[in-house]
């Protein structure tokens, strides 16, 4: 992709996270980025320095020293945005940062919009739209797997797959368009059997990509995991042990957790979003009843269920009946017997019929590693190869892939019905359009705004 975007303005934003720190980085991009910085910088003449160099000096406002800084230069087109880019590393005081940004604005820069640096990088051909979206995913990645998938997509793994499919379709589209130029001569340049085979192959790949979204969504957003059970079964104690902190109220009084508590833990590269819910029981307490109702709602929204029970209070038959009642959708579920430190060996053996049962003592922290392993295995990412497997993590891409698949169905139907080349070509163009939306070969201003406004300022 070649540079095709031109702008006359220079943008500025703080690139580091808000709050006090050792250093902060202020980033500028645009034709005047170096000149604007040079006008407030006391040190070497930045305008005569080479790209990819760093210079020590001071930032001054009418002779007043605001801070000692390091200035990094990236001369166009050898920068993230392919424009002149300057990064000013100053001390991390909010006051210093605000004063420097204010000074740069006075010298002609303007505040960047959310995601504007990456938007300029895309428009200038640094990478395609799917890669640009992966930048945001990489920034927000909070597990080894989400980092790995985002890194692969940012480096163009997913984009290459889409571009290859699109290139094959473009070839046939051009052949059919050529037929239209010879409409009166009844010639056929695009072999319909080959086109059927190609579309079958493309649809097979699209099905695999769509199927991968189930895993991709788990990797990117975590596994919504609901902990349910009767009051005082030890749900809050278990959650606290898993999180290693006091997140939930722990009490011997049944019904203490009247709402739900949510937090995250990373296990073997997978993020689990744990939700500790109100106990499941009949109750006349209105507040508690609302909590129980919300528990049932959370169950329907979860991807994984932990059913926790006090092994000293119930029988195996009662537990099995409760499991069948709670999980009609047959979601992945781990049954967990708690308080094994208070149960006899005979009592423990009586629950051998419960499939996949994990026996723990939440209070003592006993056997929690076995529970964690069971949870990881239920998510079933063990055979996932993020190095070679293309994984879809973006809902926008899923929508475009579905539209592509539907358009290709119409192409096959058109061929089967013997429709004219112009109608078949129109359906192929629809498929090409939807694939092009993924990589940004087809864009609208609304689409770009929707994508890049979700980025943080300064990226």
């Amino acid at each position: 992709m070649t540079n095709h975007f031109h702008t006359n303005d220079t943008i500025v934003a703080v690139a580091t996270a808000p709050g006090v720190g050792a250093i902060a980085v202020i980033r500028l991009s645009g034709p005047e980025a170096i000149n604007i910085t040079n006008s407030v910088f006391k040190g070497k003449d930045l305008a005569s320095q080479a790209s990819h160099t760093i210079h020590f000096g001071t930032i001054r406002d009418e002779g007043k020293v605001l801070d000692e800084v390091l200035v990094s230069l990236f001369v166009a087109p050898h920068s993230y945005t392919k424009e002149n880019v300057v990064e000013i590393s100053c001390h991390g005081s909010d006051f210093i940062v605000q004063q420097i940004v204010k000074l740069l604005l006075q010298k002609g820069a303007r505040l960047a919009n959310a995601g504007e640096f990456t938007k300029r990088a895309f428009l200038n051909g640094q990478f395609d739209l799917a890669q640009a979206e992966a930048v945001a995913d990489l920034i927000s990645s909070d597990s080894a797997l989400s980092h790995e998938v985002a890194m692969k997509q940012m480096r163009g793994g997913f984009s290459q797959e889409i571009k290859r499919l699109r290139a094959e379709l473009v070839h046939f589209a051009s052949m059919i368009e050529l037929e239209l130029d010879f409409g009166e001569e009844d010639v056929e340049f695009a072999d319909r059997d080959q086109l059927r085979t190609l579309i079958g192959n493309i649809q097979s790949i699209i099905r695999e990509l769509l199927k991968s979204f189930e895993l991709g969504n788990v990797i990117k957003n975590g596994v919504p995991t609901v902990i349910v059970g009767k009051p005082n079964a030890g749900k809050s104690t278990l959650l606290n042990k898993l999180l290693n902190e006091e997140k939930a109220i722990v009490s011997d009084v049944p019904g203490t957790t009247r709402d739900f508590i949510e937090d995250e833990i990373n296990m073997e590269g997978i993020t689990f979003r744990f939700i500790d819910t109100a106990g499941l029981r009949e109750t006349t307490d209105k507040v508690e009843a609302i909590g129980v109702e919300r528990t049932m709602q959370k169950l329907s929204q979860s991807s994984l269920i932990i059913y926790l029970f006090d092994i000293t209070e119930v029988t195996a038959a009662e537990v099995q009946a409760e499991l069948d009642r709670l999980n009609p959708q047959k979601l992945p579920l781990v049954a967990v017997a708690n308080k094994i430190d208070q149960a006899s060996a005979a009592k423990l053996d009586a629950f051998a019929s419960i499939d996949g049962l994990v026996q723990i003592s939440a209070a003592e922290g006993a056997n929690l590693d076995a529970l964690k392993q069971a949870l990881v295995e239920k998510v079933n990412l063990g055979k996932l190869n993020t190095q070679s497997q293309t994984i879809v993590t973006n809902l926008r891409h899923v929508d475009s892939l579905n539209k592509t698949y539907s358009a290709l169905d119409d192409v096959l139907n058109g061929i089967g019905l013997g429709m004219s080349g112009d109608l078949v070509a129109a359906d192929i163009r629809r498929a090409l359009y939807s694939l092009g939306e993924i990589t940004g070969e087809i864009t609208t201003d609304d689409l770009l705004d929707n994508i890049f406004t979700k980025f943080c300022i300064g990226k």
Side-chain angles (χ1 to χ4, degrees), residues 1-8 77 81-83 118-129 132 163 436 439-445 448 452:
M1 196 183 294
T2 56
N3 189 313
H4 62 274
F5 175 71
H6 301 282
T7 181
N8 294 320
T81 62
K82 289 201 168 184
E83 302 174 334
T118 302
K119 183 177 182 179
R120 289 188 176 203
F122 161 69
L123 292 171
N124 287 326
Q126 183 71 282
F127 37 58
D128 65 38
L129 198 53
K163 287 174 182 175
T439 57
E441 290 167 271
I442 305 294
T443 60
T444 65
D445 288 342
L448 295 183
F452 289 108

Side-chain angles (χ1 to χ4, degrees), residues 381-448:
L381 295 183
K383 296 181 181 179
L384 182 65
N385 185 346
T386 54
Q387 292 299 321
S388 61
Q389 187 176 347
T390 300
I391 299 168
V392 179
T393 61
N394 189 305
L395 196 57
R396 186 183 74 83
H397 301 166
V398 170
D399 182 57
S400 292
L401 287 170
N402 277 320
K403 288 178 181 176
T404 302
Y405 196 95
S406 176
L408 292 176
D409 266 346
D410 291 340
V411 174
L412 289 177
N413 291 334
I415 294 172
L417 294 171
M419 288 185 175
S420 61
D422 57 337
L423 294 176
V424 173
D427 289 329
I428 293 178
R429 283 195 293 270
R430 277 175 47 224
L432 289 171
Y433 184 93
S434 295
L435 286 175
E437 281 186 321
I438 294 175
T439 57
E441 290 167 271
I442 305 294
T443 60
T444 65
D445 288 342
D446 287 344
L447 173 64
L448 295 183

